[in-house]
Amino acid sequence: LIKNEKEKKNLAILLGGVIILSGGFITFVLFRRKQTKHAFQKRMLENKALRSQLNPHFIFNALYSIQTFIQAHPETAESYLVSFSHLMREVLENSEQETITLEAELSMLRKYMDLESLRVSNGFDYKIKLDASVDEQIIQVPPLILQPIVENAIWHGIAGRSDKGEILIKIGVKNKILHCIIENYCKGESPAKKEGSIKRKSLGLQIVRGRLSLLSGKNRIHGFLNTFQTDSGMQIQLGIPI
C-alpha cells in the first residue's frame, strides 16, 4: 500500500512537471510567434515609409527636369510632358505594391532614361543586358529600386560632360540574389569643372540602402550596394534578395 502511494505520488509529480514544461513551451512558442509577427509588421511599415520617401524625391527631381527642359526646348515640350505623364502613372501605380515584376521595373527605368537623355547636355545611350538566368516576368523586385542608382549615374557621372555618355546595366541571378551592375561611361570633361551647379544629394541611394536592409532581414539573405571608381566613370554593384 505504501509502495502504491509512493508510485502515485511520483506519477503525480511527473505529470505536474510535464504539464508545467508543456505550458512553458506553448507560452514560449506563442510569445515568439507574436514577436515575429510584430517584427514583420514593423518591417512592412518601415518599407512603406521608405517608399513614401522615394516618391517625393523622384517626383521633385522629375519636375525639375521638366522645368529646365521646357525652358530650353519649348517646341518639344508637349511631347515631353506626355511621356512624363505616362512615366508618372506607372510610378504611382507600382509604388503602391510591395513588389513588382522585374519587367515592370525595367519598363519604368527605360522611360525614365529616355526622358533624361533628352535633357542632359550631349545626351547618353543605354543598354540593358539580361543573363539567361533572368526571367523578368517572374522575378519580383521592390518598385523603383534601380531608378535612384541610374539617376545618380546620370547626374554625377554624365550630366555636363563634353562627350556623349553611356549607361550599361547587366542583370543576373545567383544564390537567390538578383545581381545588378550599373556602369556609366563618359570621357568628357568633369561636370564639376563645367557645370558646378549640377549637384544632387544622394538621398535616393540612402533610401535604396535602407530598403535593402529591410529586404535582407525579411528574406534572411543579405543584399548589398557597392560603388567603384573606374577609368571613365563609376560602377555600382547592387544585390537584391529575391
Side-chain angles (χ1 to χ4, degrees):
L1 185 63
I2 293 173
K3 186 178 179 181
N4 287 340
E5 289 293 330
K6 246 183 182 182
E7 287 177 353
K8 287 180 181 179
K9 189 175 180 181
N10 290 338
L11 182 61
I13 292 171
L14 180 63
L15 286 173
V18 168
I19 291 170
I20 291 171
L21 287 173
S22 298
F25 178 73
I26 292 170
T27 302
F28 174 77
V29 168
L30 291 174
F31 176 73
R32 289 291 295 172
R33 185 177 294 176
K34 187 176 181 181
Q35 269 193 328
T36 303
K37 184 179 179 181
H38 176 73
F40 176 75
Q41 289 173 336
K42 184 173 180 286
R43 283 198 300 268
M44 291 286 285
L45 287 172
E46 288 172 344
N47 200 14
K48 189 173 182 180
L50 285 170
R51 292 205 308 274
S52 69
Q53 273 186 289
L54 186 57
N55 266 346
H57 171 76
F58 175 80
I59 292 171
F60 173 82
N61 287 343
L63 289 173
Y64 178 79
S65 295
I66 284 183
Q67 181 185 13
T68 54
F69 184 83
I70 289 175
Q71 289 171 351
H73 307 281
E75 70 283 356
T76 56
E78 184 177 349
S79 61
Y80 188 91
L81 281 170
V82 170
S83 299
F84 173 77
S85 66
H86 291 162
L87 173 61
M88 283 297 98
R89 184 178 64 186
E90 283 191 34
V91 168
L92 294 173
E93 287 176 353
N94 289 332
S95 63
E96 290 298 314
Q97 307 299 318
E98 187 70 22
T99 60
I100 59 174
T101 64
L102 179 61
E103 182 180 41
E105 174 72 5
L106 293 179
S107 172
M108 287 194 298
L109 192 63
R110 288 187 181 96
K111 288 182 176 68
Y112 170 74
M113 289 191 288
D114 287 339
L115 287 171
E116 290 293 63
S117 66
L118 293 174
R119 196 172 72 82
V120 170
S121 58
N122 297 311
F124 61 88
D125 296 321
Y126 66 85
K127 294 178 183 176
I128 300 176
K129 296 183 178 180
L130 299 181
D131 188 76
S133 61
V134 176
D135 188 338
E136 60 179 326
Q137 295 181 338
I138 298 297
I139 292 174
Q140 296 281 319
V141 297
L144 289 175
I145 193 75
L146 293 173
Q147 183 275 332
I149 297 171
V150 172
E151 179 184 359
N152 191 71
I154 293 170
W155 289 104
H156 292 285
I158 293 176
R161 291 182 183 264
S162 55
D163 290 345
K164 191 173 188 178
E166 182 180 351
I167 293 176
L168 175 61
I169 301 170
K170 294 181 285 188
I171 301 176
V173 176
K174 185 179 180 182
N175 298 328
K176 295 184 179 180
I177 292 180
L178 189 70
H179 290 260
C180 307
I181 297 176
I182 298 98
E183 296 177 302
N184 63 271
Y185 304 94
C186 199
K187 294 182 179 179
E189 188 179 351
S190 169
K193 294 179 182 177
K194 291 204 64 164
E195 296 183 18
S197 62
I198 299 178
K199 294 291 182 181
R200 298 284 183 104
K201 292 182 179 179
S202 297
L203 174 62
L205 293 186
Q206 295 174 23
I207 294 174
V208 171
R209 291 185 190 279
R211 298 175 82 187
L212 285 176
S213 177
L214 292 175
L215 277 173
S216 298
K218 179 181 176 182
N219 297 349
R220 298 182 182 180
I221 301 172
H222 289 288
F224 56 84
L225 176 60
N226 301 318
T227 61
F228 302 93
Q229 193 72 42
T230 64
D231 292 339
S232 55
M234 180 74 71
Q235 181 188 97
I236 294 182
Q237 297 180 358
L238 172 67
I240 308 171
I242 57 174

